[in-house]
Amino acid sequence: MRVLVTGGAGFIGSNLVDRLLADGHEVAIVDDMSSGSNRNPEAALHAIDVRDPALADVTEAWRPEVICHLAAQISVRTSVADPVHDARVNVEGTLNVLEAACRAGARKVVFASSVAVYGRPAVIPVPGDAPTDPRSPYAASKLSGEVYLSAYRALHGLEYTTLVLSNVFGPRQSPEGEAGVVAIFTDALLAGRPTILYGDGSQTRDYIFVEDVVDGFARACGTEGNGRRFNLGTGVQTTDRELHTLVAAAAGAPDKPGLAPARLGDLPAMAVDPEPAREGLGWRPRTDLATGLKATVAWALSRLSTTRP
């Protein structure tokens, strides 16, 4: 199968490219390289923005059967500060991908959405059919992408599967910018720098290892899950304080975070129900948090050893 991965040099995208190549697929990458740096040399790289009209020509020349669309503006805070930029990347960019997919005769688009579309859910773990309640421009732009996927399926017969991602962590995640807290804790603890918990440390999140996420994408590239959305998470809530203890243990570092006031707008709790993905994709999370953290710390240590003089 020929697969085009947008954002294929980024954290999740590069891990997905590796998995698809290992499965024997032909893979091409579209990435503007503004933040991604993990390009697999076995996959052809097209260094363009997903908003670029040239995407249609690139896609038509490659003629992928499936497009995995992960390229995005991912910062909630950036989306609040500049919602127009967020929409241009996440809405206009997704539309450009869908137009390119139709022109190239692609069979399917697999779309990376976010738990942000649920807002402040009434039930946790959030079921797959929970109502959406976007509370930031980023969440609104992701939900817009889901709506456009449905419209293009109705209009053009372009199949899709939407994967709603919880808090993904693992090797290659950068601690810079709008990074996940696992990467931030890992980088600071290995460097002996202070770490911070916001509020009393009781905020919860659902942490899913990147290898499990890319397994979901790989499965969705087939015919399973057409026209559906699935949560990719564990359904398990882990507090910030518990997470810090686990990362510190994996890093062999002191478990002594500092405290800071809670940040306005942070959700108190989040976890998603992965059961529909088991039924619809044959997918389930396989990596427990402690095991995933050990692999993440090992990768971070290997990266440090190659960058030190």
Side-chain angles (χ1 to χ4, degrees):
M1 181 165 54
R2 293 168 74 87
V3 184
L4 181 69
V5 180
T6 73
F11 162 46
I12 301 174
S14 65
N15 280 283
L16 174 58
V17 168
D18 290 353
R19 165 63 186 270
L20 293 171
L21 288 169
D23 287 349
H25 302 300
E26 297 178 77
V27 183
I29 295 169
V30 165
D31 199 300
D32 68 0
M33 304 305 290
S34 61
S35 58
S37 59
N38 302 299
R39 181 203 167 187
N40 189 313
E42 295 180 44
L45 171 67
H46 303 280
I48 60 173
D49 192 296
V50 288
R51 296 169 291 176
D52 193 323
L55 178 66
D57 296 327
V58 167
T59 307
E60 188 172 30
W62 176 250
R63 299 197 70 80
E65 184 177 343
V66 176
I67 298 175
C68 291
H69 181 34
L70 293 95
Q73 190 296 115
I74 64 170
S75 168
V76 172
R77 289 175 175 81
T78 294
S79 80
V80 172
D82 191 350
V84 173
H85 170 71
D86 179 82
R88 284 173 176 159
V89 176
N90 291 351
V91 181
E92 181 184 338
T94 296
L95 272 171
N96 205 32
V97 169
L98 294 177
E99 284 291 303
C102 290
R103 177 169 155 182
R107 172 177 60 84
K108 187 174 189 178
V109 173
V110 183
F111 179 63
S113 189
S114 167
V115 293
V117 302
Y118 293 127
R120 291 180 176 265
V123 177
I124 295 177
V126 183
D129 60 355
T132 54
D133 181 23
R135 297 191 175 209
S136 68
Y138 168 71
S141 67
K142 280 296 182 181
L143 186 57
S144 173
E146 295 189 33
V147 173
Y148 274 111
L149 287 166
S150 180
Y152 271 67
R153 184 177 191 242
L155 284 171
H156 306 294
L158 177 65
E159 287 294 351
Y160 73 88
T161 297
T162 293
L163 301 178
V164 179
L165 310 184
S166 60
N167 286 60
V168 186
F169 75 97
R172 301 181 187 166
Q173 188 173 33
S174 170
E176 306 298 329
E178 186 84 354
V181 67
V182 170
I184 293 171
F185 282 170
T186 299
D187 188 66
L189 288 169
L190 290 177
R193 298 194 306 272
T195 51
I196 297 293
L197 294 180
Y198 294 95
D200 61 3
S202 64
Q203 175 179 277
T204 69
R205 292 293 182 267
D206 181 346
Y207 295 98
I208 181 76
F209 192 52
V210 68
E211 287 186 8
D212 290 336
V213 169
V214 302
D215 181 55
F217 274 90
R219 291 172 182 270
C221 285
T223 58
E224 296 83 1
N226 284 352
R228 297 182 63 183
R229 67 198 306 270
F230 300 104
N231 294 327
L232 295 191
T234 67
V236 177
Q237 296 183 69
T238 301
T239 69
D240 290 350
R241 190 64 188 86
E242 291 168 338
L243 179 71
H244 191 280
T245 297
L246 289 168
V247 177
D255 182 24
K256 297 179 179 180
L259 295 177
R263 294 179 295 188
L264 184 65
D266 276 355
L267 290 176
M270 177 58 76
V272 296
D273 181 7
E275 179 59 22
R278 184 200 64 76
E279 172 266 322
L281 294 176
W283 178 90
R284 63 180 177 86
R286 299 176 182 274
T287 310
D288 65 82
L289 182 54
T291 300
L293 290 174
K294 288 178 183 177
T296 303
V297 169
W299 172 83
L301 284 169
S302 68
R303 180 173 60 89
L304 285 172
S305 68
T306 60
T307 57
R308 286 171 178 160

